[in-house]
Amino acid sequence: MLRINQLAKELGVSNHEVIDALEKRLNIQGKSHSSNLTDDQVQSVRRVIENKPRAHEEPPAQPRPAVQAPVRVVKSVAPAPAPVPPP
């Protein structure tokens, strides 16, 4: 037997997250932070919480594409027309 608040402290999450896991994922209703959980319920909650990504954690880093230098367009001056020979 373990209380919800003790389990939350062990897992490093809030009481509310443990209660949400109980209610929404495991369909166990009517629990408060001071309610006792059976050993089976504790194991189930641990699996749910440990497999759930935490909001404050950053997602795994994605490799960035290589940075390319910006393209610089240079306009050239049109060549002068060739002189026309006199007739």
Side-chain angles (χ1 to χ4, degrees):
M1 300 287 279
L2 190 64
R3 289 186 185 251
I4 288 177
N5 59 347
Q6 293 170 327
L7 179 59
K9 191 173 186 178
E10 284 180 22
L11 296 174
V13 297
S14 68
N15 296 336
H16 184 71
E17 288 181 72
V18 173
I19 294 170
D20 277 350
L22 285 167
E23 291 179 350
K24 294 179 182 172
R25 306 253 179 158
L26 304 173
N27 296 323
I28 300 171
Q29 301 295 323
K31 297 290 184 178
S32 71
H33 71 280
S34 60
S35 297
N36 286 323
L37 299 173
T38 65
D39 292 336
D40 292 337
Q41 291 172 334
V42 169
Q43 289 176 357
S44 298
V45 170
R46 283 184 196 273
R47 280 194 300 270
V48 168
I49 297 290
E50 290 172 353
N51 291 331
K52 178 181 165 187
R54 296 196 176 134
H56 64 276
E57 290 182 356
E58 293 182 19
Q62 297 287 333
R64 289 187 166 183
V67 177
Q68 295 179 355
V71 176
R72 187 174 141 195
V73 177
V74 178
K75 293 184 179 182
S76 64
V77 178
V84 180

